[in-house]
Amino acid sequence: MANQTSDLKPVLVWLRRDLRLADNPALHTAVESGKPLILLYIKETNAARETGGASGVWLHHSLTALSKDIELKGGCLVLRSGEAAEILDDIIEQTGADEIHWNRRYEGWARDVDAAIKTDLKNRGIKVESHKANLLIEPWEVETKTGGFYKVFTPFWRAAKSVFTVDEPLSAPEEIKPFAGDLDSDDLADWGLLPTDPDWGSKMMALHSPGEAGAADRLASFLDGPVEDYAEQRDRPDDENGTSRLSPHLAFGEISPRQIWTATKNNYYVSDKFLTEIGWREFSYTLLFYNPQLASENYKSDFDKFEWASDEAKVEAWRHGQTGYPFVDAGMRELWQTGWQHNRVRMVCASFLIKHLLTDWRVGEAWYWDTLLEADPASNAASWQWVAGSGADASPYFRIFNPFSQGEKFDKNGDYVRKYLPELKNLPNKYLNQPWTAPAEVLAKAGVKLGETYPKPVVDHKAARERALAAYKESRA
């Protein structure tokens, strides 16, 4: 194989969080070469952080879908597990490949891996190209007047929109010319991404369609009406069509922000709020790029002296939707059951853990990393730090979401709470978000026994709020 003539040497495409054929610059450039292709996905064993449980389930199904899509184009997807540098070397030695393409990633550890591999391969005469594929604008392309990066979202997004131009998305290749030689490929099932005992993944996936086609269908459905009411409906968790639910597809690169932008821009006046959410994702990646430890260290170092008062029993109650605050509990059960959580509810649940329970934001970030299907390395960390007050452009420390008034405001009919907390389904709306205030006869008629069928509040709202404000003020003194 290695003695093939130069013009037949294969081109290697290393796929990562870009599991799509359309608008994939690395793949597109490789196809344009006219050479045989090797499409490779590596489960990197030296990654700084293991894939979370829920996102592993999504990854399994996304790779399955991608493999089928590649086969329909005439190619095949090679799967390998190990350290990327060693695997790439092995394939290059086995096939004689002298060209490799990948799309850029932005986590600190990943950038270090990519830089080392690129330097080594180039020194050995192998062509290496990295491409912009998963952001509208690179983190270094938007600078303040003093040459730094923006630390507040609104001026960042204003500046970004004035700088970037969004080209038309690239079409999927009509054909993928495969490398003719034999290459070993792992059996995806052997990666153990799917839970078996119990099999909670199957139930979760019944609500989602991983893969490029699923992403396209999700976007089309959203643009076919719901986007027009997005600004008003996006805060209502009881409206299943109020948000796009594209986040897992974006996180795994089954759809690009450029595809979303292009499909949505003609609807600008009714979807500007939606495109701003794409902007927050871009901002989060800028923060991650310049702060590689965003998921493990306070962005604002003065938070390092904050004294947390974690109570593991109460944290466990939060994790499993047993806090006694229905809107919070419904959100945590939605996350556990579906691997997804409504954005308004995310803020309320995060605020409750950090401020009502005075628990380090990293505890929550780690739980969401494991239970969210998307588990985006930038958005997850940036959003948790935003709620905590320790991040860039953070929510003010004195902003503490009221866990029952939020439910009363955004789940007015109680449909969301009743869906995930069926034990409260017979409670009147008046008491649904504060069942501890219901008269005994109302609770009895609804079949609710506080402390038995549904927990009593793990903390008193007023007392918890005052404790949090005092702790935050003390840390700022």
Side-chain angles (χ1 to χ4, degrees):
M1 283 177 246
N3 62 359
Q4 296 181 83
T5 58
S6 175
D7 61 336
L8 290 180
K9 288 183 178 180
V11 177
L12 183 55
V13 180
W14 180 16
L15 298 165
R16 290 94 76 89
R17 282 184 177 256
D18 48 7
L19 305 182
R20 62 183 185 273
L21 300 185
D23 202 34
N24 190 320
L27 175 61
H28 178 82
T29 305
V31 170
E32 288 292 294
S33 73
K35 297 178 182 179
L37 301 189
I38 300 169
L39 274 58
L40 170 70
Y41 182 88
I42 302 173
K43 182 176 181 289
E44 292 176 84
T45 55
N46 60 327
R49 197 173 193 184
E50 288 188 15
T51 302
S55 55
V57 174
W58 188 284
L59 175 61
H60 177 99
H61 291 287
S62 185
L63 288 172
T64 299
L66 178 64
S67 182
K68 292 178 181 178
D69 291 343
I70 291 171
E71 288 175 4
L72 288 174
K73 299 288 185 177
C76 68
L77 178 63
V78 176
L79 302 176
R80 293 284 184 90
S81 176
E83 292 194 13
E86 295 178 0
I87 290 170
L88 293 173
D89 276 353
D90 179 65
I91 291 178
I92 289 169
E93 182 179 353
Q94 186 177 352
T95 66
D98 61 357
E99 184 175 342
I100 179 170
H101 294 268
W102 65 61
N103 295 313
R104 284 190 281 276
R105 48 188 182 174
Y106 304 93
E107 305 99 306
W109 72 269
R111 287 160 48 204
D112 291 343
V113 167
D114 292 355
I117 290 174
K118 179 180 283 190
T119 298
D120 176 59
L121 294 181
K122 282 188 171 182
N123 287 340
R124 289 153 54 189
I126 295 172
K127 180 180 179 180
V128 184
E129 285 190 21
S130 61
H131 304 263
K132 171 182 170 184
N134 293 323
L135 293 175
L136 293 172
I137 192 162
E138 304 281 22
W140 54 87
E141 291 177 340
V142 182
E143 292 185 337
T144 64
K145 292 180 180 179
T146 58
F149 67 95
Y150 283 93
K151 302 171 181 65
V152 178
F153 171 69
T154 299
F156 162 82
W157 190 225
R158 186 187 304 119
K161 288 191 291 184
S162 70
V163 172
F164 68 65
T165 55
V166 181
D167 297 328
E168 286 295 312
L170 300 166
S171 299
E174 294 183 5
E175 179 186 6
I176 295 175
K177 183 188 299 184
F179 172 66
D182 294 326
L183 277 174
D184 292 335
S185 179
D186 294 350
D187 186 335
L188 182 57
D190 292 339
W191 284 4
L193 297 173
L194 296 181
T196 56
D197 188 20
D199 177 14
W200 46 265
S202 296
K203 181 179 179 181
M204 189 179 287
M205 282 300 105
L207 305 170
H208 306 280
S209 298
E212 189 170 7
D217 288 345
R218 176 67 72 183
L219 177 60
S221 296
F222 181 62
L223 296 182
D224 188 25
V227 70
E228 297 183 10
D229 300 315
Y230 178 77
E232 294 76 28
Q233 296 298 103
R234 71 191 188 104
D235 282 321
R236 290 188 52 186
D238 60 331
D239 183 356
E240 294 187 357
N241 295 315
T243 61
S244 71
R245 295 179 182 255
L246 281 166
S247 51
H249 299 289
L250 260 175
F252 286 94
E254 298 168 353
I255 192 169
S256 72
R258 181 161 65 177
Q259 288 173 300
I260 294 173
W261 185 273
T262 302
T264 312
K265 65 180 181 181
N266 294 332
N267 235 334
Y268 183 81
Y269 290 105
V270 294
S271 60
D272 182 48
K273 199 73 175 178
F274 172 63
L275 292 176
T276 299
E277 297 302 322
I278 301 296
W280 173 258
R281 179 178 180 270
E282 300 276 322
F283 180 57
S284 298
Y285 269 92
T286 292
L287 295 179
L288 178 64
F289 181 84
Y290 289 105
N291 302 273
Q293 305 306 318
L294 193 64
S296 58
E297 296 180 5
N298 291 311
Y299 173 84
K300 296 176 180 175
S301 59
D302 56 356
F303 263 77
D304 292 346
K305 62 187 177 183
F306 192 93
E307 293 189 14
W308 301 105
S310 301
D311 182 320
E312 186 57 31
K314 290 175 181 176
V315 172
E316 274 297 291
W318 172 83
R319 287 187 179 120
H320 299 292
Q322 297 289 339
T323 69
Y325 286 89
F327 196 62
V328 173
D329 291 342
M332 298 308 295
R333 294 190 200 181
E334 177 188 32
L335 174 62
W336 183 255
Q337 294 172 26
T338 71
W340 187 84
Q341 191 181 60
H342 188 277
N343 187 59
R344 166 62 54 174
V345 183
R346 292 187 194 200
M347 292 188 290
V348 176
C349 290
S351 177
F352 189 88
L353 177 73
I354 295 167
K355 296 177 179 178
H356 278 72
L357 301 185
L358 220 59
T359 298
D360 193 326
W361 62 267
R362 283 163 283 221
V363 174
E365 194 278 340
W367 183 251
Y368 276 49
W369 179 263
D370 193 44
T371 56
L372 267 180
L373 287 166
E374 66 224 48
D376 184 274
S379 297
N380 193 41
S383 296
W384 273 94
Q385 293 225 47
W386 180 85
V387 175
S390 61
D393 194 15
S395 172
Y397 75 91
F398 50 80
R399 184 180 188 184
I400 300 175
F401 286 96
N402 183 312
F404 44 84
S405 67
Q406 286 284 309
E408 291 163 357
K409 182 177 182 180
F410 296 111
D411 183 30
K412 293 181 179 179
N413 296 321
D415 294 338
Y416 178 73
V417 165
R418 289 189 175 91
K419 178 177 181 179
Y420 291 103
L421 274 61
E423 64 267 40
L424 299 182
K425 65 181 180 181
N426 294 322
L427 264 184
N429 282 350
K430 180 179 179 180
Y431 304 109
L432 186 60
N433 283 283
Q434 300 182 66
W436 61 90
T437 66
E441 59 271 20
V442 173
L443 290 172
K445 185 176 180 180
V448 177
K449 294 182 180 180
L450 293 180
E452 295 183 29
T453 63
Y454 185 71
K456 296 177 181 179
V458 293
V459 289
D460 174 76
H461 167 63
K462 183 179 179 181
R465 185 178 187 279
E466 291 175 351
R467 181 180 70 159
L469 289 173
Y472 270 75
K473 288 178 182 177
E474 176 67 24
S475 73
R476 293 165 62 87

